[in-house]
Amino acid sequence: MRTSGSARAVRLGPRSVAALLLISVVGVIAFGWPLLAAPGSGLAGAHAQDAPWLLAVLLPLLVAVVVATISDAGLDAKAVAMLGVLAAVGAALRPLGAGTAGLEPMFFLMVLSGRVLGPGFGFVLGAVTMFASALLTGGVGPWMPFQMLSMGWFTMGAGLLPGAERLRGHAELAMLAAYGFLAAFLYGTVMNLQGWTYIGGMASGVSFHPGDPVHENLTRFLAYCVTTSLGWDLGRATLTVVLTLTIGATLLKALRRATRRAAFEAEVTFEAPRP
């Protein structure tokens, strides 16, 4: 018996898809419910206090995604260990750029890791990395479960990109760089939504007005993103592109070699014993 030499991303089975859909629905509700809040609903306190409940729901759902992915793909403990190592590296990278014009090298690692691990393990990796980095840097707060969801989606998206088994070389790096650039802005935009709904004292053109039509609040939200975080998101996106195009090929090879040894989706073939 032997395994093939090519590494493939971990495929999604029906249980993995169900778990990811459930956790994503919970996340969309958690981010979006303030847009439907009535005037005078005490939104600032409510949206800050829902974070512990979200974290309490999120952690068992992450475990469910891991269990479902392992069950669907037939992985073993080495795959989980690989996940832990990458999460530790990502958590260690985050403080290197925190607070410096959005220069966050961990996003580059998440893009490449999501590409190699696939969407299921990619989502878990992104969320666990954010959890670990928050503990490492003391960044625990009501924003943490929202960061975990956002980074999970960010990393999962890289695993959903086409050509996981055949696309290689410059074309793959260009695709990953383009995804990293766009997704870095999307990450920042989604995280803005978490805090924008209860930040007071802003100009009326960019502030949240509970009870107003959703499309009017979203227009003000886009103005808020442009005026407050566009420069930060641009730094994150640019660094992700630069690192992907310069050292991405080397890291992709290393990740794929490691996943082969961890038996990620390794094809098993049987050979007759030699005389």
Side-chain angles (χ1 to χ4, degrees):
M1 183 182 71
R2 63 181 179 84
T3 58
S4 68
S6 61
R8 297 180 296 171
V10 181
R11 294 175 178 175
L12 288 179
R15 283 167 288 197
S16 305
V17 171
L20 286 172
L21 284 176
L22 178 58
I23 200 170
S24 294
V25 167
V26 170
V28 170
I29 293 173
F31 274 102
W33 75 262
L35 295 175
L36 306 177
S41 57
L43 189 62
H47 199 31
Q49 292 172 10
D50 65 4
W53 296 101
L54 177 59
L55 183 61
V57 173
L58 183 59
L59 292 179
L61 286 177
L62 286 175
V63 175
V65 173
V66 173
V67 172
T69 304
I70 290 175
S71 177
D72 287 337
L75 303 177
D76 59 16
K78 290 184 291 184
V80 179
M82 177 75 175
L83 190 69
V85 169
L86 288 174
V89 174
L93 283 176
R94 191 181 181 202
L96 296 181
T100 311
L103 301 179
E104 298 172 279
M106 70 169 291
F107 282 81
F108 147 75
L109 177 64
M110 293 299 103
V111 170
L112 300 189
S113 298
R115 173 66 169 177
V116 173
L117 297 181
F121 265 39
F123 183 93
V124 176
L125 173 63
V128 172
T129 300
M130 271 298 178
F131 182 79
S133 67
L135 298 179
L136 180 65
T137 61
V140 178
W143 53 83
M144 186 181 71
F146 295 94
Q147 288 178 326
M148 292 170 63
L149 280 166
S150 300
M151 185 56 73
W153 287 329
F154 178 91
T155 313
M156 180 178 70
L160 291 172
L161 293 174
E165 297 183 17
R166 295 181 178 85
L167 186 62
R168 294 291 186 270
H170 295 300
E172 183 180 34
L173 289 178
M175 180 183 67
L176 292 175
Y179 170 80
F181 185 84
L182 294 175
F185 282 99
L186 290 175
Y187 172 87
T189 301
V190 170
M191 280 307 303
N192 282 341
L193 183 59
Q194 180 267 329
W196 171 72
T197 52
Y198 60 83
I199 295 177
M202 296 186 296
S204 60
V206 298
S207 62
F208 175 62
H209 297 171
D212 277 11
V214 172
H215 70 276
E216 293 182 9
N217 270 322
L218 288 179
T219 299
R220 287 190 285 267
F221 173 64
L222 290 178
Y224 168 81
C225 291
V226 170
T227 56
T228 61
S229 66
L230 184 62
W232 186 279
D233 294 339
L234 180 61
R236 177 192 301 123
T238 301
L239 181 63
T240 301
V241 170
V242 170
L243 292 177
T244 300
L245 294 180
T246 53
I247 61 176
T250 301
L251 185 55
L252 277 174
K253 290 179 181 178
L255 288 171
R256 284 175 170 140
R257 187 181 305 114
T259 55
R260 279 198 299 271
R261 293 177 179 176
F264 275 78
E265 283 286 320
E267 291 184 15
V268 179
T269 58
F270 292 90
E271 296 178 344
R274 297 178 180 177

